[in-house]
Every structure is written in structure tokens, then in C-alpha cells.
Amino acid sequence: MIHTPATSQPDKEIMHFAEEHTSSYYAATANRHSSFPRLKGDIRTDVCVIGAGFTGIATALTLAERSFNVCVLEANRVGWGASGRNGGQMIGGISGEQKLLDANPAQADLIWDMHWHGHDIIRSRVERYEIDCDLKHGYVDVAIKPRHVRDLEAAERLLTSRNFPFEHKLLGRDETRDILGTDAYIGALQNMGNGHLHPLNLCVGEAQAAAEQGVQIFEQSAALRVDHGEAVRISTAEGSVTADFVVMAGNAYQVLNKSIRGRFFPVRSYIIATEPLSEEQLDTVNPHDFAICDPNFVLQYFRLSADKRLLFGGRCNYFGDDQEVIKSNLRPRMQKIYPQLQDVGIDYAWGGTIAVPMNRVPQLGRIAPNVFFSNAYSGHGVNVTHVAGEIMADIIGGTAERFDLFSKLRSTRIPGVNRFGNAMVSLGIVYYGLKDKLL
Ligand SMILES: Cc1cc2nc3c(=O)[nH]c(=O)nc-3n(C[C@H](O)[C@H](O)[C@H](O)COP(=O)(O)OP(=O)(O)OC[C@H]3O[C@@H](n4cnc5c(N)ncnc54)[C@H](O)[C@@H]3O)c2cc1C
């Protein structure tokens, strides 16, 4: 268990308070904007969830489906964090999965099930609650070097040996070029079980579903203080919640517990969205509408939006939000893959923070007998947050099987990361960027 003081209060200097979403394509094209009230006054509930991203909303919705009384406190807006800003790539797998397998060798089947289970949850919620989030199947892992091809061959063998129910196949250099419209890759693994979606519309749609199931959601209601005890008291600026259980779901934006925050690197990732592509451009730029991700440590990912813009994401050695800086960093990388987009306009640029632990394994644990946390999924949060929501609901209901797979792994504290995180990440990018080039 991570040590926690009797009372937790955030460092307000690094706590983010915003009335609105970041300047993303997703915010500009959201079906609807959430407008949940601020918490005013004192309420009593079974479970209080802190943070309304995928983790928090998935936890709350699962608990409500199991008849718990739940409230969610969100400092900003539903989906304001990474959940409303990400690449929208619904990728199978858990970050750091091999370490999880090494620590739990007898649970290989359970881990394989979790590898894909987030997709099932998303698909079933989209269908059950009629969430319009442009969910589309089709994903391509690309290879840049021969060793990547060997990795993809091993991944394909695993899918086959596990009877993976969706179509999947290896592509040679020519087929990859034909399918993606670029010469940048020497091979690929196409997987029709993965896919892509509009993440903010998914998150807000799930929040709406949770509210319809009785979850009380409060926006602009940061948890500013947590008093631990048999009943936990969580205070906001204008009210308080007393709860039997608390789930901390602030991920990279979590500031209430320094010890949790000190166990992951806050890595920024950025995305640009072009103007809608013409029919002519769409003939050669990802004409089959796959989500695509490369295998580098400092990786690049891209896909088309429903209105046919290219959304292109990757790292910049930059920590701010200046759209022009983001565009000038990412445009050349996009053009290296699609030179035919040299003159295309870029309408949106934004960034968000990813929590990346040292061992890459998501961190699920507790800081008190009745206070749980789940965070640090690296770049695999779209699916894994949905599994995590179920695992949080399980542990509150008294079932620890999947929770224990994660909680028994020791997470390393990273000295100095609370103060020097950005500098450490910059150095890491240089190091891993070199590794990508040289190995
Ligand atoms: C640019 C980018 C691209 C990405 N691309 C992909 C991708 O393509 N595929 C993929 O699988 N993953 C991707 N990820 C990762 C994925 O988005 C995250 O892992 C996932 O969204 C984490 O969800 P979360 O709910 O845990 O955290 P978040 O979505 O960050 O939500 C945390 C919420 O907690 C709130 N909060 C924090 N502290 C408090 C407090 N004290 N009181 C109240 N509220 C609080 C914050 O305001 C925030 O809304 C990407 C991430 C980024 C940033």
C-alpha cells in the first residue's frame, strides 16, 4: 500500500482548473457539451470517484450498473484530460504486459482476456447506450525495421494460436504501401479487432449514460481535500461528499497524493488535425481508413476523422500549448509520411499529458483500506481504462482477482519527478529517440 497522510490536499500551483476543453478537434466537433452542476452543499454516497475521464466514468457507470450509489467530482469538464484529447486509437493490449505476465505466470489466460476486454466494454456501451462516437474497426501496426517485422510476425502467431476472432494478417512492403498510401514502412500487421473513435464523444456519452443510471456528476468541482477514515470526507470549494469508498481517477492530472504522482513520468503528446482532405487526397492517404501506429519508443500515430481530416500525433520536445509550435513540430513529420499533404491546411493542434510509469504497467492500488487509485496506462488508455473501471468496481464489491494482478507489483518511485518531471522526460526523449534510430 502506498503511504498516505490522514489528510490529502493538492498543490494548487499544478492543479488545472479550466472552464472549457483544450483547443482540440474533438472539442470543436463534440455532439454535445456536458453541463453538469457544481457540487454545492454536503452529500452522502457509497462511492465517490475523483476525476471524470474514461477511468472515472467507467468506474462510476459499472458501479451504477451494479446498483451502487455513486458521485463523480471533476475539476474541469467531463473528458477534459487525456480521455477527451487522445489519438482515439482503440488498441489491444496492456502497457508493460510482459512484466504483468512474468509476475503472474499462472494467469496468462486472464491477462489475454484483459488484453481485449476494454474493446468489448466499449462496443457494448456504444450499442447499449447508443453513443455516437464514430467507432470504426481496422488498425495497422507498421514496421520500420526488420526487427519490427519479426515482432509483428510473433504477434500474428499469437493471435492465431489464441483463435483471435477478428480478421488479422501480415502485410509485405508492397501491400502496406497499397493499403496506407505511403512508402514509409516495410511491412505491417492489419487487425480488424482494433479500431478508432472520437474519444470525447465516447467519454461524454458514457457520462450521460452514467447520469441516466443515477450517478451524480459534478463539474468545476475539484476535490481539494480528502480526510481519511471509515467514512471518507472529500471537500470541494463549495461542498463536500462523505463516502464509504473513494476511487482516485485523476491519472496524469492527479495532484492529491504526491506518492502516486511520484511513480510516473508526465509525458506530453501532441496531435494536429488537417483540414478535411479532398476526394483526390483520400485516394492516396490511408484510403482504407485504418488507425496506424508505429513501433518506436518515441512513436507516431495517425488516422482519419469521420469528416476526413488526417489526425496526426506524436511527441515534441515541448511542454506548452502554443498551437503554432505544435503545428511546426508535427507538420514535417506528417509530410515525411505523406509528402502529398505539403500544402494542406492544419485547423487544430493540441496536447495532453500521459502518465508513464517506469515499468510501464498500469498502477492500480490503494492508499487506505477504502481509497483506491487507478492510473498510468502509458499510451494504452482507451481500452485499459474501461477494464480498470470494472476492476475498481470489483474491488469495491469485494472481488480482488484482477486488482491483485496489478496491486502486488511494486511500482518504482521516481526521485525528483514531482519537481523535475519535464526535464527528465526531455532527456528520456533524446535517449529513446537515439535508440529508435540506432537499434
Ligand atoms: C495526446 C494523447 C494521445 C493519446 N492517444 C491514445 C490513443 O490513441 N490510444 C490510447 O489507448 N490511449 C491514448 N492516450 C492515453 C489515454 O488517453 C489515457 O490513458 C486515458 O485517457 C486516461 O484516462 P483517465 O480517465 O485515467 O485520465 P484523464 O482522462 O486524464 O482524466 C483525469 C481527470 O481527472 C480530473 N482531476 C484530476 N484531479 C482532480 C481533482 N483533485 N478533483 C477532481 N477532478 C480531478 C482531471 O481534470 C481529468 O479530467 C493518449 C493520451 C494523450 C494525452
Side-chain angles (χ1 to χ4, degrees):
M1 201 195 321
I2 283 180
H3 168 75
T4 197
T7 300
S8 309
Q9 293 181 64
D11 180 346
K12 289 194 191 148
E13 298 253 311
I14 54 170
M15 181 134 194
H16 304 261
F17 296 119
E19 292 277 332
E20 294 307 331
H21 288 281
T22 189
S23 58
S24 71
Y25 160 76
Y26 302 125
T29 57
N31 296 332
R32 67 161 88 117
H33 283 275
S34 55
S35 57
F36 295 103
R38 288 168 197 264
L39 175 66
K40 290 190 175 160
D42 306 316
I43 62 168
R44 181 74 171 85
T45 182
D46 297 338
V47 186
C48 175
V49 177
I50 301 175
F54 285 143
T55 303
I57 294 296
T59 302
L61 181 49
T62 313
L63 284 165
E65 287 168 345
R66 297 180 186 176
S67 304
F68 281 85
N69 228 311
V70 188
C71 88
V72 179
L73 297 176
E74 167 54 49
N76 303 291
R77 297 243 158 248
V78 169
W80 174 89
S83 300
R85 311 173 183 214
N86 61 60
Q89 307 218 353
M90 188 175 78
I91 321 163
I94 304 165
S95 168
E97 194 164 322
Q98 191 53 50
K99 297 223 170 64
L100 204 57
L101 277 164
D102 292 345
N104 301 283
Q107 301 291 357
D109 289 346
L110 187 59
I111 293 170
W112 178 254
D113 178 59
M114 287 195 297
H115 191 109
W116 301 106
H117 186 51
H119 295 23
D120 296 336
I121 299 172
I122 292 170
R123 278 190 283 264
S124 72
R125 294 226 160 111
V126 165
E127 199 184 314
R128 175 171 175 193
Y129 298 112
E130 297 178 350
I131 300 172
D132 177 7
C133 64
D134 310 328
L135 173 59
K136 186 147 192 195
H137 286 88
Y139 179 82
V140 174
D141 273 307
V142 290
I144 300 168
K145 298 180 173 182
R147 73 178 162 86
H148 301 146
V149 175
R150 290 194 292 278
D151 290 345
L152 295 182
E153 286 168 351
E156 201 277 335
R157 281 196 297 276
L158 185 61
L159 290 171
T160 303
S161 70
R162 286 274 183 181
N163 294 320
F164 184 63
F166 291 88
E167 184 194 342
H168 52 93
K169 62 179 174 192
L170 288 165
L171 308 173
R173 183 193 283 263
D174 293 347
E175 277 175 298
T176 306
R177 187 189 46 235
D178 292 348
I179 262 192
L180 301 184
T182 170
D183 265 329
Y185 308 112
I186 64 170
L189 173 59
Q190 180 187 322
N191 181 334
M192 300 309 287
N194 289 322
H196 54 104
L197 49 80
H198 188 304
L200 184 57
N201 278 340
L202 175 62
C203 196
V204 173
E206 291 178 313
Q208 195 58 40
E212 283 158 17
Q213 298 296 311
V215 175
Q216 299 185 74
I217 301 176
F218 300 100
E219 295 184 308
Q220 310 286 295
S221 301
L224 297 174
R225 178 184 166 109
V226 178
D227 291 299
H228 294 280
E230 207 165 301
V232 187
R233 188 161 192 273
I234 306 100
S235 306
T236 67
E238 298 171 70
S240 77
V241 181
T242 304
D244 298 325
F245 296 96
V246 174
V247 175
M248 296 174 66
N251 199 36
Y253 298 95
Q254 190 280 122
V255 290
L256 283 167
N257 186 294
K258 261 193 173 169
S259 183
I260 297 176
R261 200 180 164 80
R263 284 160 204 269
F264 56 75
F265 292 104
V267 175
R268 294 281 288 172
S269 188
Y270 295 90
I271 302 179
I272 50 175
T274 66
E275 62 190 351
L277 302 184
S278 65
E279 287 299 323
E280 214 178 29
Q281 287 166 324
L282 288 166
D283 282 343
T284 62
V285 175
N286 187 17
H288 298 273
D289 201 358
F290 291 126
I292 297 138
C293 189
D294 80 29
N296 279 331
F297 284 109
V298 185
L299 54 78
Q300 297 180 157
Y301 47 93
F302 49 98
R303 70 184 184 93
L304 296 173
S305 59
D307 61 356
K308 305 300 175 201
R309 302 164 186 274
L310 187 69
L311 305 193
F312 186 92
R315 277 281 317 155
C316 318
N317 219 341
Y318 171 62
F319 295 92
D321 284 315
D322 184 323
Q323 296 186 40
E324 294 313 312
V325 176
I326 300 167
K327 288 179 190 174
S328 65
N329 264 279
L330 289 183
R331 179 191 269 282
R333 297 183 199 187
M334 174 184 75
Q335 283 175 201
K336 211 167 162 193
I337 294 164
Y338 290 120
Q340 58 271 51
L341 295 184
Q342 187 167 349
D343 298 321
V344 77
I346 295 177
D347 288 347
Y348 303 96
W350 69 97
T353 309
I354 304 181
V356 181
M358 206 71 137
N359 65 1
R360 297 290 178 112
V361 182
Q363 297 177 345
L364 281 68
R366 64 173 103 210
I367 59 171
N370 52 356
V371 179
F372 302 94
F373 64 89
S374 177
N375 60 27
Y377 315 95
S378 302
H380 276 254
V382 172
N383 69 333
V384 183
T385 48
H386 286 79
V387 186
E390 231 179 51
I391 298 176
M392 290 290 107
D394 286 353
I395 188 72
I396 286 168
T399 303
E401 188 185 23
R402 292 184 295 179
F403 179 80
D404 284 348
L405 297 180
F406 294 90
S407 66
K408 74 179 194 192
L409 275 185
R410 276 178 74 85
S411 56
T412 315
R413 208 173 60 78
I414 307 165
V417 79
N418 280 320
R419 289 190 66 191
F420 307 114
N422 288 348
M424 290 158 97
V425 170
S426 292
L427 278 173
I429 288 167
V430 173
Y431 170 74
Y432 283 113
L434 269 173
K435 253 182 130 174
D436 287 334
K437 284 205 175 79
L438 298 175
L439 296 182

